[in-house]
Amino acid sequence: MITRKLFLAYLLTLFLISSPIFAQPSEYRIIEIVTLNEGFTEDYRENYMSLINPYLDKYGFEEVTNLQVIKKARGTGPENAQAVNVWKIPGPDALEKIMNDPGYQKHVMYRNLVFNMETQTLFLAKASKEGELTHGKMVLTDFVVMQGENGETERTKYFKKLEKITTKYDMQRTAVYEIEKLIAGKGPNAAILNLWEVSSGDVLKKVIEDEDYKTKMVPVRDKTFDMEEITIYMTSLK
């Protein structure tokens, strides 16, 4: 009898562990650099979003971050970027599912009217760090592009050392997204996206002019990253 009870308890435990209720949250994200066609404003974008919200809900899209671009600081990313958004999705095929939905397809013509689909950029990514951003602080979005054979090891060492400098200027790396592939748009060909919270728009300048940064970090930086392609936007939470 005891053996039977233990076996039934084992089966119940196995069922609960495998149940969707206890499933791990998805790590998958869609990162979106939003670009509008000339003459179209945020109001048009908001109207479009109101039309497709039912389909975003249907396929499990959840907005994580909505960042309005203040200015582009550098790089090969779209010049006409208006926003950088991060969406949580249930799996890597979520975007394909929504695009193929007949209801969503009814709004494609309006989408193409409002958005510049040549420069509208989408990445499939995974969240490796995702802290909550603070309202009132600016956010530096840092699309990191590697050089040559450099990869995760070199990148991790660099940012660990860099944070000793950035903490002096109230610059905190709050979120990190590992980019798996570019889905649409013209890049940059990024490996990760860092979201740095900063207290003001001149923090990046202060870090770059820091003596330790210039002497200790710049030589390593220039060997590790493609500094022409790395793209940085100064943004703020909407």
Side-chain angles (χ1 to χ4, degrees), residues 82-121:
Q82 188 207 32
V84 177
N85 294 337
V86 179
W87 298 88
K88 182 187 294 185
I89 58 174
D93 60 346
L95 186 63
E96 182 180 359
K97 288 179 179 179
I98 193 172
M99 294 292 183
N100 290 331
D101 188 290
Y104 171 83
Q105 290 175 355
K106 293 177 182 178
H107 303 296
V108 167
M109 185 177 295
Y110 183 65
R111 180 200 70 187
N112 294 347
L113 182 69
V114 175
F115 296 88
N116 186 327
M117 298 308 293
E118 288 188 9
T119 54
Q120 181 88 356
T121 300

Side-chain angles (χ1 to χ4, degrees), residues 15-25:
F15 170 76
L16 290 173
I17 292 172
S18 62
S19 170
I21 297 173
F22 292 90
Q24 291 295 317

Side-chain angles (χ1 to χ4, degrees), residues 68-82:
Q68 300 300 295
V69 172
I70 299 169
K71 68 176 182 179
K72 180 181 175 182
R74 65 173 303 149
T76 58
E79 298 292 333
N80 55 335
Q82 188 207 32

Side-chain angles (χ1 to χ4, degrees), residues 36-177:
L36 302 180
N37 282 319
E38 187 174 352
F40 289 87
T41 63
E42 175 69 12
D43 290 340
Y44 287 92
R45 177 185 165 210
E46 291 291 342
N47 185 54
Y48 169 77
M49 294 306 298
S50 69
L51 294 173
I52 70 162
N53 274 335
Y55 305 101
L56 295 173
D57 293 341
K58 179 180 178 180
Y59 293 103
F61 280 67
E62 180 183 340
E63 187 177 75
V64 177
T65 303
N66 186 343
L67 298 168
Q68 300 300 295
V69 172
I70 299 169
K71 68 176 182 179
K72 180 181 175 182
R74 65 173 303 149
T76 58
E79 298 292 333
N80 55 335
Q82 188 207 32
V84 177
N85 294 337
V86 179
W87 298 88
K88 182 187 294 185
I89 58 174
D93 60 346
L95 186 63
E96 182 180 359
K97 288 179 179 179
I98 193 172
M99 294 292 183
N100 290 331
D101 188 290
Y104 171 83
Q105 290 175 355
K106 293 177 182 178
H107 303 296
V108 167
M109 185 177 295
Y110 183 65
R111 180 200 70 187
N112 294 347
L113 182 69
V114 175
F115 296 88
N116 186 327
M117 298 308 293
E118 288 188 9
T119 54
Q120 181 88 356
T121 300
L122 298 173
F123 300 95
L124 178 66
K126 285 186 177 180
S128 60
K129 179 181 181 181
E130 195 168 55
E132 185 174 350
L133 297 172
T134 307
H135 280 277
K137 285 198 172 185
M138 298 178 71
V139 180
L140 187 152
T141 67
D142 177 24
F143 289 90
V144 178
V145 184
M146 307 306 296
Q147 182 176 169
E149 299 298 318
N150 292 303
E152 183 179 356
T153 300
E154 292 81 7
R155 188 169 67 237
T156 301
K157 288 180 180 178
Y158 174 84
F159 283 114
K160 186 175 182 180
K161 292 180 180 179
L162 178 64
E163 287 183 4
K164 294 178 182 178
I165 297 172
T166 57
T167 51
K168 293 193 295 184
Y169 301 100
D170 193 22
M171 181 175 174
Q172 178 182 349
R173 191 161 67 142
T174 304
V176 182
Y177 298 97

